[in-house]
């Protein structure tokens, strides 16, 4: 089925039936959806690979925050990195997630947090910065 809007940028190809819960078709078929809501579809598989590489190459918490800000500005998706409810002994103790929104592929929602975890494993000092930013060291 052809999209109702004229989209003049490349969009992510649809996933195989049943493999994803992104509701891509609902976005494309809804005439009330504007271009801002369709921006999430700009994250093609190729762009996702570039994003993952950039996340994994981050050297600081500030750099991860800038990537998160760009995700929000360009795609309307928030990247949340925060200590979990229990003790944080490893990278797995952090809560890392992308906010769900229509058009965001399930694979992307899994791949981005995994890339952040790989980044943090390579740069453990970032974990301490995250903990400090959430006042878990009790700095006064």
């Amino acid at each position: 089925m052809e999209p109702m809007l004229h989209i003049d940028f490349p969009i992510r190809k649809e996933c195989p039936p049943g493999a994803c819960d992104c509701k891509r078709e609902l976005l494309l078929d809804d005439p009330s959806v504007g271009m801002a809501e369709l921006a999430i579809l700009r994250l093609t598989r190729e762009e996702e690979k570039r994003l993952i590489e950039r996340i994994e190459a981050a050297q600081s918490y500030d750099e991860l925050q800038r990537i998160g800000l760009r995700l929000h500005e360009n795609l309307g998706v928030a990247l949340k990195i925060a200590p979990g409810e229990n003790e944080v002994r490893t990278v797995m103790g952090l809560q890392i997630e992308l906010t769900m929104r229509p058009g965001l592929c399930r694979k992307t929602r899994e791949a981005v947090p995994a890339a952040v975890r790989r980044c943090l494993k390579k740069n453990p000092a970032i974990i301490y910065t995250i903990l400090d930013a959430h006042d878990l060291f009790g700095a006064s």
Side-chain angles (χ1 to χ4, degrees):
M1 181 173 222
E2 285 295 311
M4 301 297 281
L5 287 172
H6 173 69
I7 300 172
D8 59 350
F9 53 84
I11 63 171
R12 187 174 188 101
K13 291 181 174 47
E14 63 184 304
C15 297
C20 195
D21 59 355
C22 68
K23 300 180 177 77
R24 175 186 179 276
E25 291 74 30
L26 293 176
L27 273 178
L28 292 172
D29 294 341
D30 187 348
S32 67
V33 171
M35 294 305 278
E37 288 87 6
L38 291 174
I40 189 70
L41 299 178
R42 287 181 184 251
L43 189 63
T44 63
R45 286 190 176 99
E46 294 78 27
E47 290 295 324
E48 181 182 328
K49 287 177 188 174
R50 288 181 50 216
L51 172 63
I52 298 301
E53 289 170 1
R54 185 162 179 219
I55 290 170
E56 289 177 352
Q59 298 293 315
S60 68
Y61 183 46
D62 288 339
E63 196 171 345
L64 282 175
Q65 287 182 310
R66 279 192 300 274
I67 292 169
L69 180 63
R70 295 292 306 222
L71 280 169
H72 184 69
E73 289 171 349
N74 294 332
L75 304 175
V77 176
L79 174 62
K80 296 179 183 178
I81 306 172
E85 294 179 15
N86 300 320
E87 285 184 33
V88 177
R89 295 182 183 204
T90 67
V91 174
M92 298 307 290
L94 295 172
Q95 291 181 336
I96 304 168
E97 62 184 34
L98 281 179
T99 54
M100 173 60 188
R101 70 170 282 187
L104 183 62
C105 182
R106 177 188 56 82
K107 290 179 183 179
T108 305
R109 289 193 320 268
E110 294 170 358
V112 169
V116 171
R117 289 187 197 288
R118 288 189 295 273
C119 169
L120 296 177
K121 283 181 182 177
K122 287 190 303 190
N123 302 292
I126 298 174
I127 298 171
Y128 298 116
T129 306
I130 293 169
L131 295 175
D132 195 32
H134 288 85
D135 202 28
L136 293 182
F137 289 140
S140 300

